[in-house]
Amino acid sequence: MNQITIKDLALKLGLSTSTISRALNDHPDINIQTKKLVNDLATKLEYEPNFMARNLQSKNSHQIGIIVPEIKHDFFSKAISGIEEVAYKNGFTVVVSQSNEDVEREKLNANSLYLNRIAGIIVSLSQTTKNVDHFKTLLSKGVKIVMFDRVAEGIDTYKVVVDDYQASYDAVKYLIGKGFKSIIHLAGPQTLLNCKNRYLGYKAAIEDSNIEFKEELVFYGGMHEDDGKMDIENLINNKIHFDAIFAVNDPVAIGASVVLKKNGLRVPEDVAIIGFSNNPITEYVSPSITTIDQPAYEMGKMSASILIALIRGEEMPTTSKNTKLEAKLILRESA
Amino acid sequence: MNQITIKDLALKLGLSTSTISRALNDHPDINIQTKKLVNDLATKLEYEPNFMARNLQSKNSHQIGIIVPEIKHDFFSKAISGIEEVAYKNGFTVVVSQSNEDVEREKLNANSLYLNRIAGIIVSLSQTTKNVDHFKTLLSKGVKIVMFDRVAEGIDTYKVVVDDYQASYDAVKYLIGKGFKSIIHLAGPQTLLNCKNRYLGYKAAIEDSNIEFKEELVFYGGMHEDDGKMDIENLINNKIHFDAIFAVNDPVAIGASVVLKKNGLRVPEDVAIIGFSNNPITEYVSPSITTIDQPAYEMGKMSASILIALIRGEEMPTTSKNTKLEAKLILRESA
DNA sequence: GTGAAAGCGCTAACAT
DNA sequence: ATGTTAGCGCTTTCAC
């Protein structure tokens, strides 16, 4: 573990550490021959710069912190891959942490990243995050933050989302066009802006048609499979009539589908279903689930590009603080 | 971004930085009143220690690096959660990176972790990793390494696996007991020890029964869905007879299942299938896939415990360098 | 073109 | 119980 340092190189070459440092960093002042000398010895001795020392000196770490609810969700793991892609290309490494849908864990993660003097944070909020004061604090301390997908209102930072409103609007319009009349919405936490927009898109689509909007047909819950199951079980037990479901995301849609089948209801003949995110599993379940594709990988890349520009104080890749990427309806068997 | 440092505290309190440092770290020598004084001011001023400086000084980072093929696989994301769990409890943070099944990327990731003076590395090898010289190099530089699931032979480090041999043996014995006679094996890269053991378990189960073992019934390929598809397509095109499949993992099993269905073959009546890993998707596909459950979360926790003990030079939680956890057959519709 | 010296924030041996 | 000093490995002014 005995690391070669620039001091070692300096000693062997009879030069000063500053010359070594400059040579290694290709500083214009240094004689080209000296540079060669230094670099040759460095490779020969397998010199590896100590990033910790360099970071301490330069006061920033070239590490990007990511906080997502759960990496096991296909959407998030794809987004992370996108972030990694851009990060590596720009000489940044990536630290991933999960909030497990728990605000408290989210706070801990955020703070721990900060203590490690992370260069910036890319975050997608947990379900239980009601307010984002912990991120506002970091922001005020100068930490660069980009939010994606699960973003919050009322925090002044860059955000990368999909046009949740429009995509939801289109999906529900599609259901209406197919003749469905009692379309319920299994909604997510309205503190999350994307969930709110999905709800608003649903509402607008209904109101723009000749159907009466009923708030009683909106059921607010979580974003897991169990939430979808519970909602539909309740509806069936209470004999509430509906012929289509617009779910806030795919797990909820799948949970709903499972319960419907168990109760002898046919999908889509008796009840149609549309989910959100295009999780690969939606293609495998039977019936396969109609859903909305979010460009997860692209969202990750975009978030990273923005964050890195922010860190470097460079020109931003986007004009607006709110980047909206396109999402599109993927037709399958369930609707 | 102007950080409060111990120097600031020292100045305000008229004490030396060393006293502040010791007070903050609860050093026994320090007067209890002084400690209170220091800690109170620290909280008041929102002092946050600079980990980079601390790490530079102590020459280690309290960061654990993870390298997995792809985080989107349920097995790996669960394992990562397990690692995180233990890491956080012990004051370590976690840096995740993906090799994308590419050795070259794996090498880059490993080296980048090393340059960042990571405290240790937990790795599950990529499919394309034929030799592990890059890890041997790190090992010789004193980096602590733990391998899990996709481990290699011929490298002297701690490993956490499932009893792949026994689990495979049991699965194939189960198929034989059900009366299947032409059981093929869709095998993974034999450079990965777990793949090799799954193959050996398959072979032993066959040989221990009254069935002739035929190497022609073993098909070596990758670990993705497409590999399973390709193999089965070829078999069908070449009219090779088989009545059961033991696949090296779930994606391969699912790929096989899809092609069988497409060709009008019934699962399990015409061909039975058993996968490996208990990916949640195996429960959702139709027919659901019989598979072997690996305790992913536990494996992650165990790997992290071992690595941290290794880093701290503490007593090891395991007696052997090879930890084997139990895997068990989960019966579903496909076999 | 190169060197000397200071400092990033923190810790720890060695005083006192 | 507290202070002084040095140093972790690197970069960067300021000299020459």
Side-chain angles (χ1 to χ4, degrees):
Chain A
M1 200 58 155
N2 253 355
Q3 260 334 113
I4 302 286
T5 71
I6 52 169
K7 212 168 156 184
D8 299 323
L9 299 181
L11 239 49
K12 300 234 185 209
L13 256 32
L15 291 168
S16 74
T17 57
S18 25
T19 305
I20 304 290
S21 171
R22 282 186 278 238
L24 256 17
N25 291 306
D26 204 18
H27 190 103
D29 275 4
I30 301 292
N31 186 314
I32 197 154
Q33 314 205 25
T34 319
K35 277 185 192 169
K36 183 160 168 33
L37 219 60
V38 172
N39 281 305
D40 283 355
L41 186 66
T43 45
K44 181 168 161 252
L45 262 45
E46 296 186 324
Y47 164 78
E48 310 269 20
N50 184 324
F51 284 11
M52 288 195 317
R54 184 181 286 178
N55 292 340
L56 173 59
Q57 159 72 30
S58 65
K59 290 191 165 199
N60 75 53
S61 75
H62 283 86
Q63 283 204 145
I64 291 177
I66 303 180
I67 307 174
V68 292
E70 295 177 293
I71 54 175
K72 73 174 179 204
H73 291 318
D74 186 73
F75 172 77
F76 291 120
S77 52
K78 277 200 192 125
I80 291 172
S81 294
I83 294 171
E84 276 194 331
E85 178 74 27
V86 172
Y88 277 115
K89 258 191 205 129
N90 287 278
F92 283 77
T93 54
V94 155
V95 181
V96 181
S97 65
Q98 310 182 64
S99 62
N100 290 316
E101 301 286 13
D102 175 5
V103 219
E104 293 311 320
R105 183 64 171 264
E106 188 176 278
K107 285 182 195 169
L108 282 175
N109 289 164
N111 201 246
S112 150
L113 290 174
Y114 171 65
L115 292 187
N116 279 288
R117 296 301 185 274
I118 222 73
I121 295 178
I122 297 179
V123 61
S124 197
L125 299 172
S126 97
Q127 233 185 86
T128 51
T129 303
K130 307 277 185 237
N131 77 63
V132 286
D133 291 349
H134 44 305
F135 290 115
K136 286 187 187 165
T137 309
L138 290 185
L139 227 37
S140 75
K141 288 183 184 168
V143 180
K144 313 295 184 193
I145 299 178
V146 173
M147 295 188 162
F148 77 99
D149 190 49
R150 303 225 207 141
V151 305
E153 283 183 294
I155 181 166
D156 182 33
T157 189
Y158 282 80
K159 296 168 194 173
V160 176
V161 293
V162 116
D163 195 338
D164 294 285
Y165 177 90
Q166 190 62 45
S168 303
Y169 184 92
D170 294 345
V172 175
K173 270 287 190 189
Y174 170 79
L175 286 173
I176 295 171
K178 279 250 186 172
F180 296 102
K181 300 239 179 307
S182 303
I183 305 168
I184 66 171
H185 178 38
L186 304 184
Q190 299 297 294
T191 39
L192 300 177
L193 193 51
N194 61 336
C195 291
K196 189 169 169 186
N197 283 328
R198 290 174 197 180
Y199 161 73
L200 292 174
Y202 157 84
K203 189 174 175 188
I206 302 264
E207 288 174 341
D208 284 2
S209 311
N210 287 327
I211 306 180
E212 187 193 351
F213 169 76
K214 292 180 190 155
E215 182 65 34
E216 314 94 76
L217 293 186
V218 179
F219 303 89
Y220 300 93
M223 309 186 68
H224 282 130
E225 200 183 319
D226 285 343
D227 298 302
K229 283 185 178 170
M230 256 176 32
D231 281 336
I232 301 303
E233 270 164 10
N234 282 337
L235 284 172
I236 291 179
N237 290 341
N238 294 320
K239 302 204 193 312
I240 295 177
H241 174 258
F242 59 99
D243 58 11
I245 300 172
F246 173 56
V248 68
N249 71 0
D250 288 330
V252 171
I254 286 171
S257 173
V258 167
V259 171
L260 288 174
K261 278 202 289 184
K262 200 181 290 169
N263 283 274
L265 289 159
R266 293 165 307 163
V267 177
E269 293 82 355
D270 297 326
V271 179
I273 304 179
I274 295 187
F276 209 116
S277 275
N278 195 18
N279 187 305
I281 214 169
T282 54
E283 212 179 329
Y284 284 107
V285 288
S286 174
S288 59
I289 304 286
T290 291
T291 184
I292 291 156
D293 183 60
Q294 284 179 289
Y297 191 77
E298 288 305 319
M299 288 173 83
K301 281 175 68 170
M302 183 58 94
S303 304
S305 305
I306 292 175
L307 184 65
I308 291 173
L310 223 42
I311 292 167
R312 293 194 176 140
E314 282 171 0
E315 197 191 341
M316 300 305 295
T318 57
T319 46
S320 153
K321 279 200 168 185
N322 270 70
T323 307
K324 268 188 195 156
L325 300 179
E326 208 197 333
K328 63 172 193 292
L329 192 61
I330 308 284
L331 297 180
R332 297 223 178 84
E333 295 168 359
S334 75
Chain B
M1 201 56 157
N2 253 354
Q3 262 331 115
I4 303 284
T5 71
I6 54 169
K7 211 168 158 185
D8 298 323
L9 300 181
L11 239 50
K12 300 233 183 210
L13 254 32
L15 290 168
S16 74
T17 56
S18 29
T19 305
I20 304 290
S21 171
R22 284 186 278 240
L24 254 18
N25 291 305
D26 204 19
H27 189 105
D29 276 1
I30 301 291
N31 187 313
I32 197 156
Q33 313 205 24
T34 319
K35 277 185 192 169
K36 183 162 166 36
L37 219 61
V38 172
N39 281 304
D40 283 356
L41 186 66
T43 46
K44 182 169 160 249
L45 261 45
E46 295 185 326
Y47 164 78
E48 309 269 20
N50 184 325
F51 284 12
M52 288 194 318
R54 185 182 286 179
N55 292 340
L56 174 60
Q57 157 71 30
S58 65
K59 291 193 164 198
N60 76 52
S61 76
H62 282 86
Q63 283 203 143
I64 291 176
I66 304 180
I67 307 175
V68 293
E70 295 177 292
I71 55 175
K72 74 173 180 207
H73 292 317
D74 186 71
F75 172 76
F76 291 119
S77 52
K78 277 202 192 123
I80 291 172
S81 295
I83 295 171
E84 277 195 330
E85 178 72 27
V86 173
Y88 277 115
K89 262 197 200 121
N90 287 279
F92 283 77
T93 55
V94 156
V95 181
V96 181
S97 65
Q98 310 183 64
S99 62
N100 290 314
E101 302 285 14
D102 175 5
V103 219
E104 294 310 318
R105 184 64 171 265
E106 189 176 277
K107 286 182 194 169
L108 282 174
N109 289 164
N111 201 247
S112 149
L113 290 174
Y114 171 65
L115 291 186
N116 279 286
R117 296 299 184 277
I118 224 72
I121 295 179
I122 296 179
V123 60
S124 199
L125 299 173
S126 96
Q127 234 185 85
T128 52
T129 302
K130 306 276 184 241
N131 76 63
V132 286
D133 291 348
H134 44 306
F135 289 115
K136 286 187 187 166
T137 309
L138 291 185
L139 227 37
S140 74
K141 289 183 182 167
V143 179
K144 312 295 183 194
I145 299 179
V146 173
M147 296 189 161
F148 76 99
D149 191 49
R150 301 222 206 144
V151 304
E153 282 183 295
I155 182 168
D156 182 33
T157 189
Y158 282 79
K159 297 168 193 173
V160 176
V161 293
V162 118
D163 195 337
D164 294 285
Y165 177 90
Q166 189 62 46
S168 303
Y169 184 92
D170 293 346
V172 176
K173 270 287 188 188
Y174 171 80
L175 286 172
I176 294 170
K178 277 251 188 171
F180 295 101
K181 300 237 179 305
S182 305
I183 306 168
I184 66 171
H185 177 38
L186 303 183
Q190 299 298 294
T191 39
L192 300 178
L193 192 51
N194 61 337
C195 292
K196 189 169 169 187
N197 283 329
R198 289 175 198 180
Y199 160 72
L200 291 175
Y202 157 84
K203 189 174 174 190
I206 301 265
E207 288 174 341
D208 283 2
S209 312
N210 288 325
I211 307 180
E212 188 194 352
F213 169 75
K214 293 181 189 154
E215 182 64 35
E216 313 94 76
L217 292 186
V218 179
F219 303 89
Y220 299 93
M223 309 186 69
H224 281 131
E225 200 183 317
D226 285 342
D227 298 302
K229 283 187 178 168
M230 256 175 33
D231 281 335
I232 300 303
E233 270 163 11
N234 283 337
L235 284 172
I236 291 180
N237 290 341
N238 294 320
K239 301 202 195 313
I240 295 178
H241 174 258
F242 59 100
D243 58 12
I245 300 172
F246 173 56
V248 67
N249 71 359
D250 288 331
V252 171
I254 286 171
S257 173
V258 166
V259 171
L260 288 175
K261 278 202 290 184
K262 202 181 288 167
N263 282 274
L265 289 160
R266 292 165 308 161
V267 177
E269 293 82 354
D270 297 325
V271 180
I273 303 179
I274 295 187
F276 209 116
S277 275
N278 195 18
N279 188 305
I281 214 170
T282 55
E283 211 179 330
Y284 284 108
V285 289
S286 176
S288 58
I289 304 287
T290 291
T291 185
I292 291 155
D293 183 59
Q294 285 178 289
Y297 191 77
E298 289 305 320
M299 289 172 83
K301 281 175 68 170
M302 183 58 93
S303 305
S305 305
I306 293 175
L307 184 66
I308 291 173
L310 225 39
I311 292 168
R312 294 195 176 139
E314 284 172 357
E315 197 192 342
M316 300 305 295
T318 57
T319 46
S320 152
K321 278 201 167 184
N322 269 70
T323 307
K324 267 189 197 157
L325 300 179
E326 208 198 334
K328 63 170 194 291
L329 192 62
I330 308 285
L331 297 180
R332 297 225 178 82
E333 294 167 1
S334 74

